[in-house]
Structures are given as C-alpha cells and as structure tokens.
Amino acid sequence: MLELAILGFLAEEPLHGYQLRHRIAQLSGHARPVSDGSLYPAINRLVNAGLLDRQTEPGTSAAQRHTLYLTAAGRRELLRRLRGTDGLDISDSTRYFTVLAFLSHLPNTAEQHAVLRRRLEFLEQPASFFHDGGRPLGADDTDDPYRRGMLIIARATSRAERSWLREALA
C-alpha cells in the first residue's frame, strides 16, 4: 500500500520526499506512521523499476532537493494495481481506503465500479471479531461492554459504508 500511495500522490503532481511522506502520513493516520526507513527504500525500488523519475534541484539552503515524478510506466502500474484490487486490499479497511483515495485515477466508471462492487460483496458477508464455534457473534451476543462497543461501532461503520457504496454504484 505504501507503493500504491506513492504512485497515487505522484500521479497528482511531482513532490519532494518530505512532501510525499507528509501526505502519506495524513492518509494512513497515526496508526501507521511512515518512517524514512520504509519510504525511501520504496521510492528507490520504484525509481529502479522505471516507475518514478527523480530530479535534483537546488534547495533553499545548501542541500539539494529531489523532486519525484511519475513516469508513463508508473502511471500504467498505478492503473494496474487499482484494477487488480482484491483480497486484503478489499478486506482490510486501511488498505482499501488507500485504494479508494486514488480510485478516481482509473479512466472509466466501469473499472471504478468493479472495485466498489468487490468491496460491497465483502461487506455483505457475515463477519465479526468474535465467534462461537463457526457463528459470528453480534453486539447482542456479548456481555463484555468493550467487545460490545467494538461490535456496535463496526456494525454502524459497515452500514454507512454499504449505504455509500450502493449510492455510488447506482
């Protein structure tokens, strides 16, 4: 997802590494901070694969700045990754929200809707954090106030998202 976020933000405009890290951190939130130790190796992999171009420019102080640009191959890779959204990229909310942030880069509505339909199909399956045998437990099935809270919040979030997805697909 880090590479998808890099490609997605650079599809919008060229950025310096610091700007890119800041935008990715805002997207992923406090739960998944982006360290230089993960960002810059990912950038280097993408540069080495020909998906990004790095240009050195004079900085405001003595240090030079490196501006990152998405190449044509990088744009094709971004679109390939968005079209192929499946599995964990659909079921994990944080990963899915990264996909959703850049879904408008897909050139046609049918491709965008295919991704949204996969998410909706996932959300319509019975699910829970807790199970009794093979049966998912709902908020009414537990006396633990914190587990009940988790289940109530998850249910409300899922309902809101399913509603939005149906509206977007209509």
Side-chain angles (χ1 to χ4, degrees), residues 48-110:
N48 292 337
L51 305 178
L52 303 181
D53 185 31
R54 181 182 306 154
Q55 295 181 10
T56 304
E57 301 172 347
T60 54
S61 62
Q64 293 181 329
R65 298 173 76 175
H66 301 282
T67 303
L68 299 163
Y69 296 84
L70 190 66
T71 65
R75 183 167 299 283
R76 287 190 300 274
E77 179 63 13
L78 170 63
L79 298 178
R80 185 193 69 75
R81 289 180 186 212
L82 290 170
R83 285 181 184 114
T85 299
D86 210 353
L88 278 177
D89 296 341
I90 291 292
S91 63
D92 180 88
S93 292
T94 303
R95 292 173 68 121
Y96 174 71
F97 285 165
T98 301
V99 168
L100 197 58
F102 303 109
L103 198 57
S104 63
H105 289 289
L106 281 178
N108 70 54
T109 305

Side-chain angles (χ1 to χ4, degrees), residues 138-168:
D140 296 334
D141 298 324
T142 182
D143 293 329
D144 184 307
Y146 306 107
R147 287 186 175 193
R148 182 175 168 76
M150 286 175 64
L151 294 165
I152 289 170
I153 292 166
R155 181 176 55 206
T157 302
S158 179
R159 281 183 182 157
E161 186 177 352
R162 286 188 314 234
S163 175
W164 176 81
L165 285 165
R166 287 184 190 109
E167 181 182 312

Side-chain angles (χ1 to χ4, degrees), residues 12-68:
E12 295 168 0
E13 66 180 311
L15 297 167
H16 301 285
Y18 174 81
Q19 294 169 310
L20 185 58
R21 181 166 46 96
H22 183 70
R23 289 193 187 181
I24 292 170
Q26 288 178 320
L27 177 64
S28 61
H30 68 279
R32 295 187 180 178
V34 179
S35 70
D36 289 346
S38 30
L39 177 63
Y40 289 101
I43 288 171
N44 288 334
R45 282 191 305 274
L46 295 171
V47 167
N48 292 337
L51 305 178
L52 303 181
D53 185 31
R54 181 182 306 154
Q55 295 181 10
T56 304
E57 301 172 347
T60 54
S61 62
Q64 293 181 329
R65 298 173 76 175
H66 301 282
T67 303
L68 299 163

